[in-house]
Amino acid sequence: MSNTLLRQRALLGISLSLMLILLQTWQPELYFQRQLIQSGEIWRLWTGNLVHTNVWHVALNIGGWSLLLLLAPNSLTTRYLMLSIAVLMSVVGLGLYSFNPNLLWYAGFSGVLYGLFTLAGIYWLLERDYVLGLMLLLFSGGKAFSDLALGGDSLSSQLIAAPVIYAAHIYGIIGAVGLALPQIKRSLPHAKPKPT
């Protein structure tokens, strides 16, 4: 990793971490709350990803974010990571709102994190680092589907004092696959036309 990329990643990591900590001050005004979104507070579709239930929840997500920055391939530039975060926040917020009508509230960055880990895994596979790529994909997919099987009740739910909203993780993974599709398509070998 070049010094420039290392500095950019460190700045991005610190900036987002500080933002997640500071936004906790306004958690009541920012978390995803269905009734208030329906009343016109649509920003909560996005800002619900940036606030958390408690200090442990923030710490878990900052830890995951830091790990992601260390494991992400160089091809995931700082600009691309920032764009990916914005897209994944949209996919998670709109997914929860559209497809989980019984979900009344949500707070946390984990849906975005699952998407980012999935994206990093896909990019490592495209760069032919199959061990790291598969490890990241198995981690994100395995944990998401284990939470799905447990119905959101896990050690994580005890730490964050709330159920794990596994649907957010699934939407993050789906969003990551969508983000990676153009790159996947470009890296597929093109079929050569048969000679006539």
Side-chain angles (χ1 to χ4, degrees), residues 3 31 41 48-49 73 122-123 132 144 189:
N3 286 340
Y31 75 98
E41 296 184 14
N49 292 283
I122 291 169
Y123 270 74
L132 191 52

Side-chain angles (χ1 to χ4, degrees), residues 71-76 80 117-137 176-189:
L71 295 176
N74 294 348
S75 54
L76 291 181
Y80 188 75
F117 274 103
T118 301
L119 196 59
I122 291 169
Y123 270 74
W124 277 121
L125 288 179
L126 293 173
E127 293 181 15
R128 292 180 171 69
D129 187 330
Y130 300 113
V131 173
L132 191 52
L134 285 173
M135 185 181 77
L136 290 173
L137 291 176
V177 171
L179 279 166
L181 276 177
Q183 186 62 31
I184 293 169
K185 187 177 178 185
R186 278 193 294 274
S187 50
L188 291 175

Side-chain angles (χ1 to χ4, degrees), residues 10-196:
L11 182 60
L12 180 62
I14 292 167
S15 299
L16 182 67
S17 298
L18 285 173
M19 183 174 70
L20 293 177
I21 292 166
L22 294 173
L23 286 177
Q24 279 303 104
T25 306
W26 296 282
Q27 193 255 24
E29 290 80 22
L30 299 176
Y31 75 98
F32 178 110
Q33 192 173 0
R34 181 171 296 279
Q35 183 180 2
L36 295 176
I37 293 168
Q38 291 169 339
S39 299
E41 296 184 14
I42 61 168
W43 64 82
R44 291 175 181 269
L45 291 168
W46 294 274
T47 59
N49 292 283
L50 299 173
V51 292
H52 297 81
T53 56
N54 61 28
V55 69
W56 292 110
H57 196 191
V58 176
L60 281 171
N61 281 321
I62 289 174
W65 169 238
S66 302
L67 182 61
L68 178 275
L69 288 174
L70 291 172
L71 295 176
N74 294 348
S75 54
L76 291 181
T77 64
T78 304
R79 181 179 296 174
Y80 188 75
L81 282 170
M82 290 169 52
L83 172 68
S84 297
I85 290 168
V87 169
L88 292 169
M89 284 171 53
S90 299
V91 171
V92 171
L94 292 168
L96 291 173
Y97 186 78
S98 303
F99 302 113
N100 299 84
N102 295 328
L103 181 71
L104 301 179
W105 69 275
Y106 171 76
F109 194 64
S110 60
V112 174
L113 276 176
Y114 275 75
L116 291 171
F117 274 103
T118 301
L119 196 59
I122 291 169
Y123 270 74
W124 277 121
L125 288 179
L126 293 173
E127 293 181 15
R128 292 180 171 69
D129 187 330
Y130 300 113
V131 173
L132 191 52
L134 285 173
M135 185 181 77
L136 290 173
L137 291 176
L138 287 173
F139 166 76
S140 58
K143 177 76 167 74
F145 288 104
S146 126
D147 285 339
L148 176 63
L150 294 171
D153 186 29
S154 65
L155 177 60
S156 300
S157 67
Q158 294 169 21
L159 278 174
I160 67 172
V164 173
I165 307 301
Y166 57 83
H169 303 167
I170 303 294
Y171 297 137
I173 290 169
I174 291 169
V177 171
L179 279 166
L181 276 177
Q183 186 62 31
I184 293 169
K185 187 177 178 185
R186 278 193 294 274
S187 50
L188 291 175
H190 297 294
K192 295 181 181 176
K194 293 181 182 176
T196 54

